[in-house]
Amino acid sequence: MQALDRCLGEATTDENALTTALALLPTTVASLDAQQYNEVLTKVAAIDDDGTVAALTTPCIHQASSDQLAKAPDALATCVQKCLAVEDSASLLAFVEKRRDCGSQCAALLEKAAQNLADRCSKEAAPEALELLAALLGAYADVRCKAEPLQKALGESEARVNAQRCLAVLWSRGPADSFAAAAAGVLSNLEAAEAAPGPVAAAEALIMAARTRKDGAPLPLPRLVRAAMKHTTLIPSLMDALPASITRRHGLSLMKAALGECQRTRWRDAPTIRALATVSSALGAGGAELVDDAVAPLIRAALAASSPRAPTDEAPPPETKKRKRRRPPRRAPAKAHWDISEAARAALDAISVIVHACGPRLRDR
């Protein structure tokens, strides 16, 4: 505690002290009782620099228990005001996730600022901001934002997951007409795209939103099926949303599309292999004839991508000065280990799914 107190006192002026305090806080907070936690958080809230308070508040909130937070309402309210002043995404995310334990004053401040925070996060479209936006949309039913910036953010791999979460929550609200308009726009972009993960992620968000809508607004399933034949990575999400009648009607066509894409990528693309396994599981024995041709390539793909790789020992850097060296300790020789790629893991999983779904004939093979 003495080391932490000293670092907190010097955190504003000494960067090393701030770094040390951030390293000490997680373990220290976990060992404190409620009164001691209140004292530490009060010292953090008393720091003049708002940015420093935001940085130190994040581990304090993440590691705190409900009892600790309940005993420090005033310090939490001060900290959340300073975090809102600098709009720090990490600390505000921690507050939103534990808003029910932080006291009524802190919860009221967060709820009042939620819409302004959502507007700022949707404009920035950075990964941290989108994670905070997803938490705000999930926590407050009245928070709204525009979908266009989020759809643009789907094109960036780092921001795609959180942008997809935001769109799924956003499209699950509002009237059925707005959902139908969003679905039409998403499918138009998907049909026009050649190989773009962004439109596929938007379609997956649309399917997730349809599951949680209370009014039961329907999805344009025929258009989604046609789009999935072109973009096979959409198949796993789509199969969960299809009723049994449409699965029986279009399942073989989807399987042919997934099988063709696997052959085109030479059985090296993990998402495509997972799509084939998903359709096979849904169709069961009805797709055994098509899947029969996929078993041998899947086995070859799993074996080819799972070959043992010899260990590599990096040579030590050459010495520039002549000096007496100690004899290095003897180490056991390194053993070769298996280098299993993502495609190999998907192929192994697909073989297991296909064998269980398509009956004893494939199991014997």
Side-chain angles (χ1 to χ4, degrees):
M1 280 293 292
Q2 293 179 354
L4 179 61
D5 292 341
R6 185 171 61 254
C7 291
L8 290 178
E10 301 173 359
T12 306
T13 56
D14 188 355
E15 187 175 352
N16 291 330
L18 176 60
T19 304
T20 306
L22 291 173
L24 291 174
L25 273 173
T27 53
T28 304
V29 168
S31 64
L32 298 177
D33 58 27
Q35 183 177 354
Q36 292 172 328
Y37 175 78
N38 185 22
E39 293 173 359
V40 170
L41 198 63
T42 302
K43 293 176 183 177
V44 172
I47 296 174
D48 294 332
D49 184 63
D50 294 347
T52 304
V53 172
L56 294 170
T57 300
T58 305
C60 288
I61 303 300
H62 273 306
Q63 300 296 326
S65 64
S66 300
D67 294 336
Q68 288 174 324
L69 293 171
K71 297 295 183 180
D74 296 334
L76 286 170
T78 304
C79 288
V80 77
Q81 286 177 337
K82 295 190 175 184
C83 293
L84 287 170
V86 294
E87 295 183 343
D88 182 72
S89 297
S91 58
L92 291 172
L93 175 63
F95 273 114
V96 172
E97 289 175 345
K98 295 195 174 182
R99 64 193 180 279
R100 293 187 177 90
D101 301 325
C102 293
S104 58
Q105 187 178 358
C106 183
L109 289 170
L110 288 172
E111 187 173 3
K112 183 178 179 180
Q115 185 59 58
N116 291 333
L117 283 175
D119 294 337
R120 192 262 300 174
C121 291
S122 62
K123 291 177 183 177
E124 284 187 13
E128 300 82 4
L130 290 176
E131 189 175 5
L132 174 59
L133 177 59
L136 290 169
L137 289 171
Y140 304 106
D142 296 334
V143 173
R144 295 288 187 274
C145 65
K146 294 183 178 180
E148 290 79 8
L150 298 175
Q151 288 180 273
K152 292 180 181 178
L154 289 174
E156 302 176 7
S157 59
E158 294 181 355
R160 187 173 300 137
V161 173
N162 289 318
Q164 190 181 58
R165 286 176 55 201
C166 295
L167 285 172
V169 176
L170 195 62
W171 286 335
S172 66
R173 302 171 180 173
D177 294 342
S178 64
F179 178 74
V186 167
L187 286 171
S188 297
N189 294 335
L190 186 62
E191 291 165 351
E194 287 299 327
V200 173
E204 291 173 346
L206 194 71
I207 294 171
M208 289 188 284
R211 291 197 196 107
T212 56
R213 285 189 66 87
K214 297 180 180 179
D215 57 0
L219 281 168
L221 292 177
R223 289 184 69 183
L224 276 171
V225 169
R226 290 195 296 270
M229 293 179 187
K230 181 180 178 182
H231 304 278
T232 54
T233 51
L234 181 61
I235 290 177
S237 299
L238 178 61
M239 295 304 295
D240 294 336
L242 290 180
S245 59
I246 296 182
T247 300
R248 288 192 299 269
R249 189 184 313 162
H250 298 286
L252 289 177
S253 299
L254 290 171
M255 183 177 286
K256 288 179 182 178
L259 186 59
E261 187 65 16
C262 286
Q263 292 169 347
R264 189 187 69 82
T265 57
R266 298 183 179 182
W267 304 91
R268 295 174 183 172
D269 184 50
T272 307
I273 295 175
R274 293 193 190 100
L276 178 64
T278 304
V279 185
S280 303
S281 177
L283 287 180
E289 293 182 2
L290 281 176
V291 175
D292 195 16
D293 299 331
V295 174
L298 283 172
I299 294 174
R300 285 195 298 268
L303 293 176
S306 306
S307 57
R309 180 164 59 89
T312 57
D313 294 330
E314 296 183 359
E319 292 191 2
T320 56
K321 296 181 181 180
K322 291 183 178 180
R323 53 187 174 185
K324 190 174 181 180
R325 290 189 302 168
R326 291 184 179 180
R327 183 169 182 168
R330 292 184 177 181
R331 292 180 297 178
K335 297 180 180 179
H337 61 280
W338 289 88
D339 184 15
I340 300 180
S341 68
E342 186 181 2
R345 294 183 188 277
L348 290 170
D349 294 340
I351 291 170
S352 176
V353 169
I354 289 170
V355 165
H356 285 288
C358 297
R361 184 168 63 86
L362 289 179
R363 197 174 302 130
D364 295 339
R365 290 191 60 188

